mmCIF file of all heavy atoms in Angstrom:
data_model
loop_
_atom_site.group_PDB
_atom_site.id
_atom_site.type_symbol
_atom_site.label_atom_id
_atom_site.label_comp_id
_atom_site.label_asym_id
_atom_site.label_seq_id
_atom_site.Cartn_x
_atom_site.Cartn_y
_atom_site.Cartn_z
ATOM 1 N N LYS G 2 0.872 -1.235 0.040
ATOM 2 C CA LYS G 2 -0.035 -0.075 -0.060
ATOM 3 C C LYS G 2 0.766 1.250 0.059
ATOM 4 O O LYS G 2 0.424 2.387 -0.454
ATOM 5 C CB LYS G 2 -0.893 -0.017 1.247
ATOM 6 C CG LYS G 2 -2.041 -1.231 1.264
ATOM 7 C CD LYS G 2 -2.793 -1.131 2.573
ATOM 8 C CE LYS G 2 -3.732 -2.227 2.562
ATOM 9 N NZ LYS G 2 -4.495 -2.198 3.769
ATOM 10 N N GLY G 3 2.142 1.168 0.479
ATOM 11 C CA GLY G 3 2.966 2.418 0.475
ATOM 12 C C GLY G 3 2.876 3.007 1.803
ATOM 13 O O GLY G 3 2.602 2.427 2.833
ATOM 14 N N PHE G 4 3.209 4.323 1.856
ATOM 15 C CA PHE G 4 3.379 5.172 3.077
ATOM 16 C C PHE G 4 2.067 5.899 3.359
ATOM 17 O O PHE G 4 1.455 6.503 2.346
ATOM 18 C CB PHE G 4 4.530 6.179 2.933
ATOM 19 C CG PHE G 4 4.584 7.097 4.065
ATOM 20 C CD1 PHE G 4 5.059 6.638 5.230
ATOM 21 C CD2 PHE G 4 4.347 8.549 3.938
ATOM 22 C CE1 PHE G 4 5.135 7.598 6.309
ATOM 23 C CE2 PHE G 4 4.527 9.337 4.989
ATOM 24 C CZ PHE G 4 4.808 8.919 6.194
ATOM 25 N N THR G 5 1.493 5.637 4.586
ATOM 26 C CA THR G 5 0.443 6.457 5.000
ATOM 27 C C THR G 5 0.695 7.549 6.022
ATOM 28 O O THR G 5 1.188 7.053 7.145
ATOM 29 C CB THR G 5 -0.612 5.332 5.664
ATOM 30 O OG1 THR G 5 -0.947 4.422 4.701
ATOM 31 C CG2 THR G 5 -1.991 6.215 6.015
ATOM 32 N N ARG G 6 0.462 8.660 5.736
ATOM 33 C CA ARG G 6 0.920 9.746 6.595
ATOM 34 C C ARG G 6 -0.115 9.909 7.754
ATOM 35 O O ARG G 6 -1.256 9.927 7.472
ATOM 36 C CB ARG G 6 0.903 11.077 5.687
ATOM 37 C CG ARG G 6 1.196 12.451 6.462
ATOM 38 C CD ARG G 6 0.778 13.588 5.746
ATOM 39 N NE ARG G 6 1.255 13.617 4.330
ATOM 40 C CZ ARG G 6 1.193 14.634 3.639
ATOM 41 N NH1 ARG G 6 0.501 15.794 4.027
ATOM 42 N NH2 ARG G 6 1.588 14.703 2.369
ATOM 43 N N GLN G 7 0.283 10.161 9.032
ATOM 44 C CA GLN G 7 -0.561 10.254 10.133
ATOM 45 C C GLN G 7 -0.364 11.627 10.733
ATOM 46 O O GLN G 7 -1.315 12.114 11.376
ATOM 47 C CB GLN G 7 -0.249 9.047 11.077
ATOM 48 C CG GLN G 7 -0.690 7.771 10.606
ATOM 49 C CD GLN G 7 -0.221 6.644 11.541
ATOM 50 O OE1 GLN G 7 0.668 6.824 12.338
ATOM 51 N NE2 GLN G 7 -0.819 5.426 11.320
ATOM 52 N N SER G 8 0.875 12.304 10.795
ATOM 53 C CA SER G 8 1.033 13.494 11.464
ATOM 54 C C SER G 8 2.096 14.220 10.744
ATOM 55 O O SER G 8 2.958 13.669 10.058
ATOM 56 C CB SER G 8 1.471 13.249 12.950
ATOM 57 O OG SER G 8 2.606 12.651 13.019
ATOM 58 N N ALA G 9 2.173 15.581 10.892
ATOM 59 C CA ALA G 9 3.208 16.353 10.270
ATOM 60 C C ALA G 9 3.721 17.454 11.295
ATOM 61 O O ALA G 9 2.994 18.060 12.036
ATOM 62 C CB ALA G 9 2.608 17.184 9.027
ATOM 63 N N GLN G 10 5.051 17.712 11.263
ATOM 64 C CA GLN G 10 5.622 18.616 12.182
ATOM 65 C C GLN G 10 6.932 19.117 11.631
ATOM 66 O O GLN G 10 7.435 18.556 10.808
ATOM 67 C CB GLN G 10 5.773 18.037 13.644
ATOM 68 C CG GLN G 10 6.923 16.970 13.429
ATOM 69 C CD GLN G 10 7.371 16.377 14.848
ATOM 70 O OE1 GLN G 10 6.860 15.520 15.334
ATOM 71 N NE2 GLN G 10 8.415 17.029 15.347
ATOM 72 N N ALA G 11 7.272 20.380 12.075
ATOM 73 C CA ALA G 11 8.590 20.864 11.738
ATOM 74 C C ALA G 11 9.526 19.999 12.444
ATOM 75 O O ALA G 11 9.258 19.327 13.434
ATOM 76 C CB ALA G 11 8.728 22.339 12.180
ATOM 77 N N ILE G 12 10.819 19.946 11.840
ATOM 78 C CA ILE G 12 11.889 19.224 12.621
ATOM 79 C C ILE G 12 12.661 20.032 13.614
ATOM 80 O O ILE G 12 12.747 19.726 14.715
ATOM 81 C CB ILE G 12 12.901 18.619 11.503
ATOM 82 C CG1 ILE G 12 12.072 17.768 10.523
ATOM 83 C CG2 ILE G 12 14.026 17.761 12.245
ATOM 84 C CD1 ILE G 12 12.883 17.301 9.390
ATOM 85 N N ASP G 13 13.019 21.275 13.167
ATOM 86 C CA ASP G 13 13.714 22.136 14.072
ATOM 87 C C ASP G 13 13.001 23.451 14.068
ATOM 88 O O ASP G 13 12.619 23.976 13.054
ATOM 89 C CB ASP G 13 15.204 22.358 13.665
ATOM 90 C CG ASP G 13 16.013 23.190 14.621
ATOM 91 O OD1 ASP G 13 15.975 24.390 14.719
ATOM 92 O OD2 ASP G 13 16.861 22.423 15.377
ATOM 93 N N TYR G 14 12.880 24.166 15.245
ATOM 94 C CA TYR G 14 12.063 25.451 15.202
ATOM 95 C C TYR G 14 12.926 26.649 15.413
ATOM 96 O O TYR G 14 12.432 27.775 15.646
ATOM 97 C CB TYR G 14 11.111 25.367 16.387
ATOM 98 C CG TYR G 14 10.057 24.287 16.352
ATOM 99 C CD1 TYR G 14 10.495 22.878 16.582
ATOM 100 C CD2 TYR G 14 8.825 24.523 15.886
ATOM 101 C CE1 TYR G 14 9.437 21.869 16.396
ATOM 102 C CE2 TYR G 14 7.780 23.546 15.697
ATOM 103 C CZ TYR G 14 8.140 22.311 15.895
ATOM 104 O OH TYR G 14 7.184 21.240 15.819
ATOM 105 N N GLY G 15 14.276 26.490 15.179
ATOM 106 C CA GLY G 15 15.133 27.649 15.175
ATOM 107 C C GLY G 15 15.363 28.335 13.910
ATOM 108 O O GLY G 15 14.449 28.352 13.025
ATOM 109 N N LEU G 16 16.364 29.075 13.914
ATOM 110 C CA LEU G 16 16.756 29.975 12.702
ATOM 111 C C LEU G 16 17.545 29.357 11.597
ATOM 112 O O LEU G 16 17.672 29.763 10.570
ATOM 113 C CB LEU G 16 17.431 31.222 13.156
ATOM 114 C CG LEU G 16 16.507 32.177 13.987
ATOM 115 C CD1 LEU G 16 17.305 33.038 14.951
ATOM 116 C CD2 LEU G 16 15.753 33.054 13.056
ATOM 117 N N ASP G 17 18.441 28.248 11.992
ATOM 118 C CA ASP G 17 19.356 27.645 11.148
ATOM 119 C C ASP G 17 19.335 26.155 11.296
ATOM 120 O O ASP G 17 19.898 25.602 12.150
ATOM 121 C CB ASP G 17 20.807 28.160 11.628
ATOM 122 C CG ASP G 17 20.899 29.722 11.424
ATOM 123 O OD1 ASP G 17 20.744 30.140 10.243
ATOM 124 O OD2 ASP G 17 21.196 30.391 12.327
ATOM 125 N N PHE G 18 18.600 25.558 10.206
ATOM 126 C CA PHE G 18 18.525 24.175 10.137
ATOM 127 C C PHE G 18 17.970 23.744 8.804
ATOM 128 O O PHE G 18 16.967 24.223 8.499
ATOM 129 C CB PHE G 18 17.621 23.585 11.300
ATOM 130 C CG PHE G 18 17.555 22.174 11.435
ATOM 131 C CD1 PHE G 18 18.396 21.537 12.368
ATOM 132 C CD2 PHE G 18 16.716 21.483 10.619
ATOM 133 C CE1 PHE G 18 18.376 20.088 12.560
ATOM 134 C CE2 PHE G 18 16.731 19.968 10.804
ATOM 135 C CZ PHE G 18 17.440 19.354 11.778
ATOM 136 N N TYR G 19 18.655 22.940 8.168
ATOM 137 C CA TYR G 19 18.208 22.508 6.761
ATOM 138 C C TYR G 19 18.890 21.175 6.423
ATOM 139 O O TYR G 19 19.941 20.891 6.838
ATOM 140 C CB TYR G 19 18.527 23.464 5.815
ATOM 141 C CG TYR G 19 17.743 23.454 4.374
ATOM 142 C CD1 TYR G 19 16.466 23.751 4.470
ATOM 143 C CD2 TYR G 19 18.446 23.095 3.284
ATOM 144 C CE1 TYR G 19 15.572 23.660 3.320
ATOM 145 C CE2 TYR G 19 17.613 22.987 2.081
ATOM 146 C CZ TYR G 19 16.231 23.300 2.131
ATOM 147 O OH TYR G 19 15.426 23.066 0.879
ATOM 148 N N ALA G 20 18.107 20.518 5.503
ATOM 149 C CA ALA G 20 18.668 19.226 4.879
ATOM 150 C C ALA G 20 19.198 18.134 5.742
ATOM 151 O O ALA G 20 20.288 17.636 5.671
ATOM 152 C CB ALA G 20 19.769 19.752 3.826
ATOM 153 N N PRO G 21 18.414 17.805 6.832
ATOM 154 C CA PRO G 21 18.880 16.841 7.754
ATOM 155 C C PRO G 21 18.980 15.390 7.037
ATOM 156 O O PRO G 21 18.280 14.988 6.123
ATOM 157 C CB PRO G 21 17.807 16.802 8.956
ATOM 158 C CG PRO G 21 16.542 17.261 8.007
ATOM 159 C CD PRO G 21 17.067 18.308 7.181
ATOM 160 N N GLN G 22 20.029 14.605 7.590
ATOM 161 C CA GLN G 22 20.188 13.222 7.154
ATOM 162 C C GLN G 22 20.396 12.400 8.357
ATOM 163 O O GLN G 22 20.974 12.764 9.258
ATOM 164 C CB GLN G 22 21.270 13.163 6.090
ATOM 165 C CG GLN G 22 21.276 11.920 5.331
ATOM 166 C CD GLN G 22 22.283 11.974 4.072
ATOM 167 O OE1 GLN G 22 23.440 11.466 4.192
ATOM 168 N NE2 GLN G 22 21.845 12.555 3.018
ATOM 169 N N THR G 23 20.018 11.149 8.274
ATOM 170 C CA THR G 23 20.159 10.200 9.438
ATOM 171 C C THR G 23 20.992 9.060 8.988
ATOM 172 O O THR G 23 21.078 8.570 7.889
ATOM 173 C CB THR G 23 18.701 9.782 9.950
ATOM 174 O OG1 THR G 23 18.139 8.751 9.154
ATOM 175 C CG2 THR G 23 17.741 10.890 10.115
ATOM 176 N N LEU G 24 21.472 8.263 10.054
ATOM 177 C CA LEU G 24 21.980 7.006 9.854
ATOM 178 C C LEU G 24 21.542 6.107 11.073
ATOM 179 O O LEU G 24 21.080 6.533 12.047
ATOM 180 C CB LEU G 24 23.528 7.034 9.840
ATOM 181 C CG LEU G 24 24.341 7.630 11.077
ATOM 182 C CD1 LEU G 24 24.255 6.666 12.213
ATOM 183 C CD2 LEU G 24 25.703 7.918 10.661
ATOM 184 N N GLU G 25 21.681 4.739 10.909
ATOM 185 C CA GLU G 25 21.450 3.741 11.943
ATOM 186 C C GLU G 25 22.800 3.422 12.520
ATOM 187 O O GLU G 25 23.653 2.826 11.657
ATOM 188 C CB GLU G 25 20.618 2.607 11.490
ATOM 189 C CG GLU G 25 20.441 1.593 12.575
ATOM 190 C CD GLU G 25 19.481 0.372 12.340
ATOM 191 O OE1 GLU G 25 19.479 0.211 11.046
ATOM 192 O OE2 GLU G 25 19.013 -0.322 13.175
ATOM 193 N N ALA G 26 23.079 3.631 13.800
ATOM 194 C CA ALA G 26 24.392 3.294 14.254
ATOM 195 C C ALA G 26 24.454 1.866 14.609
ATOM 196 O O ALA G 26 23.392 1.215 14.649
ATOM 197 C CB ALA G 26 24.517 4.110 15.566
ATOM 198 N N PRO G 27 25.584 1.311 14.627
ATOM 199 C CA PRO G 27 25.790 -0.115 15.018
ATOM 200 C C PRO G 27 24.966 -0.601 16.296
ATOM 201 O O PRO G 27 24.563 -1.741 16.398
ATOM 202 C CB PRO G 27 27.241 -0.303 15.210
ATOM 203 C CG PRO G 27 27.859 0.771 14.431
ATOM 204 C CD PRO G 27 26.936 2.049 14.533
ATOM 205 N N ASP G 28 24.763 0.373 17.263
ATOM 206 C CA ASP G 28 24.068 -0.012 18.487
ATOM 207 C C ASP G 28 22.530 0.085 18.243
ATOM 208 O O ASP G 28 21.836 0.100 19.293
ATOM 209 C CB ASP G 28 24.545 0.790 19.616
ATOM 210 C CG ASP G 28 24.453 2.314 19.404
ATOM 211 O OD1 ASP G 28 23.739 2.701 18.446
ATOM 212 O OD2 ASP G 28 24.918 3.015 20.329
ATOM 213 N N GLY G 29 22.085 0.555 17.104
ATOM 214 C CA GLY G 29 20.574 0.583 16.849
ATOM 215 C C GLY G 29 20.003 2.036 16.892
ATOM 216 O O GLY G 29 18.892 2.179 16.505
ATOM 217 N N ARG G 30 20.827 2.915 17.374
ATOM 218 C CA ARG G 30 20.340 4.353 17.419
ATOM 219 C C ARG G 30 20.120 4.990 16.073
ATOM 220 O O ARG G 30 20.976 4.698 15.266
ATOM 221 C CB ARG G 30 21.381 5.255 18.320
ATOM 222 C CG ARG G 30 21.269 5.012 19.773
ATOM 223 C CD ARG G 30 22.344 5.906 20.479
ATOM 224 N NE ARG G 30 23.696 5.491 20.059
ATOM 225 C CZ ARG G 30 24.795 6.391 20.344
ATOM 226 N NH1 ARG G 30 24.534 7.667 20.922
ATOM 227 N NH2 ARG G 30 25.916 6.088 19.940
ATOM 228 N N ARG G 31 19.081 5.788 15.971
ATOM 229 C CA ARG G 31 18.955 6.489 14.783
ATOM 230 C C ARG G 31 19.580 7.940 15.150
ATOM 231 O O ARG G 31 19.017 8.662 15.976
ATOM 232 C CB ARG G 31 17.405 6.570 14.407
ATOM 233 C CG ARG G 31 17.167 7.487 13.077
ATOM 234 C CD ARG G 31 17.742 6.971 11.804
ATOM 235 N NE ARG G 31 17.419 5.588 11.481
ATOM 236 C CZ ARG G 31 17.636 5.135 10.299
ATOM 237 N NH1 ARG G 31 18.344 5.673 9.371
ATOM 238 N NH2 ARG G 31 17.308 3.861 9.976
ATOM 239 N N ILE G 32 20.385 8.390 14.264
ATOM 240 C CA ILE G 32 21.229 9.605 14.512
ATOM 241 C C ILE G 32 20.939 10.639 13.473
ATOM 242 O O ILE G 32 21.028 10.152 12.220
ATOM 243 C CB ILE G 32 22.727 9.364 14.738
ATOM 244 C CG1 ILE G 32 23.024 8.284 15.777
ATOM 245 C CG2 ILE G 32 23.473 10.689 15.151
ATOM 246 C CD1 ILE G 32 22.682 8.632 17.172
#
């Protein structure tokens, strides 16, 4: 079925923040 959106929010509420990217660390954390 694909992706079903449930909520929307800003990521950062400050003045300087753009183009975030994540990784999964070896210990399982999403950074």
Side-chain angles (χ1 to χ4, degrees):
K2 297 179 181 178
F4 176 68
T5 303
R6 175 198 309 184
Q7 295 171 342
S8 65
Q10 66 173 87
I12 302 174
D13 188 280
Y14 294 81
L16 290 153
D17 295 298
F18 186 96
Y19 198 71
Q22 196 169 97
T23 76
L24 58 74
E25 184 179 15
D28 60 10
R30 288 179 293 164
R31 179 63 58 171
I32 309 293

